[in-house]
Amino acid sequence: MKNQRQRTAPLFRPSVSVDLNPVPSSSPAFGTPVHPIRTPTTTGAKPTILPVLLPAPTLRPVAFRTFTKKHNLTLNSTALQALATFIGKNCGAGWREEGLAERVLEEVAKTWKKLGGGVIVDGESDALKGILKGLEPCMSGGKVIQGSSSTLSRQSSFSFGAGEEGKTNAALGSIGLSREDSHVSLGVSGLELDDDEGLEDEGMVRDPRRWLKVVGAFDQPCLVYNVGKKHFEKTTSKPTLFPPAHHKTHLFRHRYTLIHQRLLRNDAFQPSSSSNAPQTTTTSYKITPITNLLGRSGTTHLLLGLLTISPTGTLAISDLTGSIALDLRHATPVPAEGAWFTPGMIVLVDGVYEEEYGGAGGQLGGGGGVGGTIGGRFVGFSVGGPPCERREVTLGIGSSNTSTSTTSSGGFGWVDFLGVGSERAIGPKMRHLSNAILLKSHPNRAKILILSSLHLNIPKAHDALRKILSIYEALPPTSQPLAIVLIGSFVSHAAMAGGGCGGGSIEYKEYWDLLAGTLTEFPTLIVNSTFIFVPGDNDPWASSFAAGASTTIPRHPIPELFTTRVRRVFASAKAEAAADGPALGGGGQAIFTTNPTRLTLFGPVKELVIFRDDIVSRLRRSAITFRKPPSSDAAAPPDSMDLDPPDAPSHTLPRTLTKTLLDQSHLSPFPLSTRPVLWDHAASLSLYPLPSALILAVDAETAPFSVTYEGCCVVNPGAVLAQEGPRRLARWCEFDVMAGRGMGRDVAF
């Protein structure tokens, strides 16, 4: 019998009882079973939705209430059709009675705004397609599943569940969706910034240089203000160096519409909302189009237009409707000696229109047609620049100055001007992050060094650079600057111009090789700081055919052909630092960028514009000369500028230059014949919204200064080499990022 039992097939052998739970039950009647009872893991049958064909006009009222009235968004026809197809497929016949459509539309609208989308929701955009694609796995019974773990945090960002909540998180993470308190434009949705204790443990935010980004002029998004929609839009055409002829007209049209909408949002140009309002001392100004001057001879008007030189050689003012001759013999600038006014600038002129009654003077353009020249002349009494607008007002955020009234209406907080995220989407989180890193973790790193006119062909320039860098090399790594900006021109004469003074390509490369040898003397500094190189007019390739004269802007970076050894120095230092241990920020970096260029720190929180141009001499040559006032001893009216330091030798030039550029919201307010501009890349010269700081490296003869105007700090670092009597000085500027102030420094060597 035993042998037969052994020959029994395994399939028919009796199963052996295995006690999986050795602990006996407390009662024989309720004994522990042989195999534990498995509890079902399913939460229930998933409701079945029968798809319906939902026409887009039927969904329009519900979409209008959710997108337009609640979230101030506008749906085009393609977006409405895409939403109708999605809701009809996933919500079925109960989309209206059960309120399923409103919940889906609410989720889509919130996600669209979190991703930094514009006011117009386009159905053909990849953003909306990605939102709907990632939202479809989260639909269950026509509803969007919102579990407790759908919001990413430091504890749950690495939790991968197998249930519906896990699927929801995976779907949301695949397209970058987030909840109310998360922003994913810069990848910080997984950080709980309220907990500052674990901030040092996060490798991605350990060093502030992680949040420093250089945006070149050719990488900046080209945004155009749409007058009809009152919003910024990206240009559909691809920028090119040989654009069509009408792009030249769009260049000045965009400048005019930008300043015009800025003035209309100014309190001084907004009429009273009530006709029964009491009369006050403040009056509301009204801008008159030039075509409306016809038939109104002898009346006073305020014009906003572009100063131009007519074909006859006389001064004229033009707007989008026409142009008229301008008589400024009796005009006075506002403020007196406080700004320059040159052809190519957009100005406000207050005066009287005088019509000509002979011939065709009363007609538009002599022969009719909108856009021509109006007969007669406009006698100006006062000329002034358009008032500047603070950055806080433009972006619709609160101002730190309580005495200044700011309004959030009309702000462009959802517009991503530089491709680093919009103010409304990631601004609050980035400010919290900057305070936690720069004020708590690294309080001594919030500074940027700026050196200008570093001529590498002069041996003394290398000595001055060694003296400056040795000061910061002796500091501990946690006190060294975030970045060091070296601004050209890097040779004193035009390189490869053929004249023999600047030398050829071989000599120019040798100058950069000498700089590489100088930088190797400071290994700690090149590992812990980012070096940024901005070219000037004497640097190639533009200098080879312009011979140092003004060339087209923006300028391309210095070719890599000449900077190979400098790049090799930073690569070697980074490799050595990685071998010794984890360096602060991951090693050094050398960035060769354009002119002008922009530095962003923590997304839209801090924006620095760097521009090298001999703009002071150009303004002096092109400025209009006005009649001097009768009494020159009268005190100038106070303004909102603060000059640093207060004991500077001349206050007039810094104030005049600052007000001229910031009021124009442009780095080159000149005619194209005076300063050529690449038409399709002119958006990189715009100063709207106002940056946090403007690093303006002007003529070498101009003394260093630091001026704060409407919250924007304008800094001129001055040339590196300076002579003060028998002493040789090395000059540079140290810019405090958090305080927003620049301080000029010098040292004898």
Side-chain angles (χ1 to χ4, degrees):
M1 187 67 180
K2 185 181 297 184
N3 297 333
Q4 293 179 358
R5 187 175 303 170
Q6 293 177 352
R7 289 195 299 267
T8 306
L11 178 64
F12 300 100
R13 291 176 182 174
S15 59
V16 181
S17 178
V18 179
D19 191 5
L20 299 180
N21 188 3
V23 181
S25 175
S26 60
S27 174
F30 300 96
T32 303
V34 176
H35 299 285
I37 301 176
R38 295 182 180 180
T39 57
T41 57
T42 58
T43 56
K46 185 177 180 179
T48 303
I49 294 296
L50 182 62
V52 297
L53 183 61
L54 179 61
T58 308
L59 184 65
R60 187 185 301 274
V62 182
F64 178 79
R65 290 195 303 266
T66 304
F67 276 81
T68 305
K69 286 190 174 182
K70 190 172 182 179
H71 294 281
N72 295 326
L73 298 175
T74 303
L75 288 171
N76 58 11
S77 58
T78 57
L80 183 62
Q81 182 62 44
L83 291 173
T85 304
F86 180 83
I87 292 176
K89 177 182 177 182
N90 296 277
C91 297
W95 67 273
R96 186 198 299 271
E97 290 78 5
E98 301 178 12
L100 303 178
E102 294 185 1
R103 301 174 187 175
V104 174
L105 294 175
E106 180 75 16
E107 187 71 20
V108 173
K110 290 180 180 179
T111 308
W112 176 270
K113 295 176 72 174
K114 294 299 181 184
L115 294 178
V119 176
I120 307 299
V121 181
D122 187 9
E124 300 295 335
S125 63
D126 296 335
L128 183 61
K129 294 179 181 179
I131 292 173
L132 297 180
K133 183 178 179 181
L135 197 62
E136 189 170 3
C138 308
M139 300 294 298
S140 177
K143 301 178 182 180
V144 181
I145 301 176
Q146 297 183 1
S148 59
S149 62
S150 59
T151 303
L152 296 180
S153 63
R154 185 179 289 111
Q155 291 77 16
S156 63
S157 58
F158 295 98
S159 299
F160 302 95
E164 293 293 337
E165 294 180 356
K167 295 179 181 178
T168 303
N169 292 338
L172 292 177
S174 63
I175 60 170
L177 298 183
S178 59
R179 296 300 176 196
E180 295 290 342
D181 57 344
S182 59
H183 304 289
V184 297
S185 298
L186 288 181
V188 296
S189 60
L191 297 180
E192 291 291 341
L193 299 182
D194 295 334
D195 182 15
D196 294 337
E197 298 177 357
L199 194 62
E200 292 294 333
D201 299 334
E202 299 291 340
M204 62 182 301
V205 296
R206 184 178 302 168
D207 184 64
R209 287 195 303 157
R210 163 66 177 79
W211 306 102
L212 179 65
K213 182 179 179 181
V214 179
V215 182
F218 299 96
D219 301 329
Q220 183 177 342
C222 184
L223 302 178
V224 178
Y225 182 75
N226 191 318
V227 181
K229 299 178 181 179
K230 296 183 178 180
H231 193 72
F232 285 89
E233 295 180 343
K234 288 186 178 181
T235 55
T236 56
S237 60
K238 185 178 180 180
T240 176
L241 297 179
F242 302 98
H246 66 273
H247 285 202
K248 179 181 178 181
T249 307
H250 292 171
L251 187 151
F252 294 99
R253 182 188 296 270
H254 175 57
R255 281 184 54 196
Y256 179 85
T257 55
L258 204 62
I259 294 181
H260 186 262
Q261 65 86 20
R262 191 183 75 190
L263 286 180
L264 294 182
R265 296 193 295 115
N266 192 290
D267 294 338
F269 290 84
Q270 294 180 358
S272 177
S273 58
S274 175
S275 59
N276 299 327
Q279 297 293 332
T280 59
T281 56
T282 59
T283 59
S284 175
Y285 299 98
K286 182 180 180 181
I287 300 175
T288 304
I290 291 180
T291 53
N292 292 5
L293 297 178
L294 289 175
R296 305 172 69 178
S297 179
T299 56
T300 304
H301 300 277
L302 180 64
L303 303 183
L304 175 68
L306 180 73
L307 288 179
T308 59
I309 302 296
S310 64
T312 59
T314 60
L315 192 64
I317 185 171
S318 305
D319 62 4
L320 300 182
T321 62
S323 60
I324 187 174
L326 196 60
D327 185 3
L328 299 180
R329 290 178 295 178
H330 306 284
T332 57
V334 179
E337 300 181 357
W340 280 301
F341 300 99
T342 66
M345 293 185 179
I346 298 177
V347 296
L348 286 167
V349 182
D350 186 17
V352 176
Y353 171 58
E354 294 183 357
E355 187 175 5
E356 293 181 356
Y357 294 98
Q363 298 182 4
L364 187 64
V370 177
T373 303
I374 293 181
R377 61 175 183 172
F378 190 80
V379 182
F381 298 149
S382 60
V383 180
C388 188
E389 186 177 77
R390 297 181 67 92
R391 180 180 179 87
E392 294 82 3
V393 179
T394 305
L395 299 180
I397 57 179
S399 174
S400 57
N401 187 4
T402 56
S403 61
T404 305
S405 60
T406 59
T407 58
S408 59
S409 60
F412 302 105
W414 289 108
V415 180
D416 186 3
F417 289 95
L418 298 178
V420 296
S422 62
E423 172 62 36
R424 294 287 183 89
I426 63 175
K429 284 290 182 68
M430 288 292 103
R431 283 186 174 83
H432 185 94
L433 189 63
S434 64
N435 294 334
I437 294 178
L438 292 180
L439 295 182
K440 298 181 180 179
S441 302
H442 303 279
N444 299 325
R445 297 249 312 158
K447 54 180 177 289
I448 296 176
L449 306 187
I450 306 165
L451 291 77
S452 178
S453 299
L454 181 64
H455 300 323
L456 301 179
N457 60 327
I458 301 177
K460 295 180 181 178
H462 293 269
D463 298 336
L465 181 62
R466 287 190 183 93
K467 185 64 176 179
I468 296 174
L469 297 183
S470 62
I471 298 176
Y472 298 94
E473 177 73 13
L475 298 177
T478 56
S479 300
Q480 291 180 345
L482 280 175
I484 299 177
V485 182
L486 303 179
I487 306 175
S489 299
F490 292 100
V491 287
S492 56
H493 300 282
M496 294 173 289
C501 296
S505 59
I506 298 178
E507 290 81 359
Y508 188 77
K509 188 178 187 308
E510 290 177 351
Y511 299 148
W512 283 97
D513 294 345
L514 292 176
L515 177 62
T518 303
L519 294 178
T520 54
E521 303 175 9
F522 309 96
T524 306
L525 195 61
I526 63 177
V527 168
N528 298 321
S529 298
T530 300
F531 282 72
I532 302 171
F533 299 88
V534 181
D537 289 332
N538 291 338
D539 297 312
W541 295 109
S543 62
S544 59
F545 58 86
S550 298
T551 58
T552 56
I553 51 176
R555 287 280 310 275
H556 284 276
I558 297 176
E560 188 177 354
L561 170 68
F562 305 104
T563 61
T564 53
R565 185 163 297 182
V566 175
R567 298 173 187 268
R568 196 180 308 148
V569 168
F570 282 87
S572 302
K574 186 175 182 180
E576 294 177 1
D580 297 340
L584 190 62
Q589 187 179 14
I591 300 177
F592 293 85
T593 183
T594 60
N595 182 26
T597 188
R598 297 173 189 261
L599 272 66
T600 63
L601 189 62
F602 296 98
V605 176
K606 297 294 181 180
E607 177 187 350
L608 280 74
V609 178
I610 303 175
F611 186 44
R612 172 66 180 95
D613 187 31
D614 296 335
I615 194 173
V616 175
S617 58
R618 190 178 298 109
L619 284 170
R620 286 173 171 170
R621 291 193 305 266
S622 307
I624 300 173
T625 303
F626 293 92
R627 177 179 59 90
K628 293 185 177 181
S631 58
S632 58
D633 298 336
D639 52 20
S640 59
M641 292 191 191
D642 297 329
L643 195 62
D644 302 321
D647 54 349
S650 177
H651 293 184
T652 305
L653 177 61
R655 292 173 181 267
T656 304
L657 178 62
T658 300
K659 182 173 177 58
T660 301
L661 291 183
L662 298 190
D663 285 352
Q664 293 296 319
S665 295
H666 205 268
L667 290 173
S668 181
F670 302 103
L672 296 182
S673 57
T674 304
R675 184 55 158 162
V677 176
L678 298 177
W679 302 346
D680 282 3
H681 298 281
S684 61
L685 305 177
S686 176
L687 294 177
Y688 188 85
L690 211 61
S692 305
L694 172 61
I695 311 301
L696 191 63
V698 296
D699 313 56
E701 296 79 11
T702 306
F705 62 82
S706 177
V707 177
T708 301
Y709 176 57
E710 293 294 343
C712 177
C713 181
V714 181
V715 177
N716 173 36
V720 173
L721 290 177
Q723 192 76 25
E724 188 176 300
R727 302 174 58 202
R728 279 202 317 262
L729 298 178
R731 294 189 306 191
W732 75 100
C733 177
E734 189 176 285
F735 182 77
D736 192 338
V737 177
M738 298 303 294
R741 312 285 282 188
M743 181 180 64
R745 299 189 58 181
D746 56 70
V747 62
F749 68 98

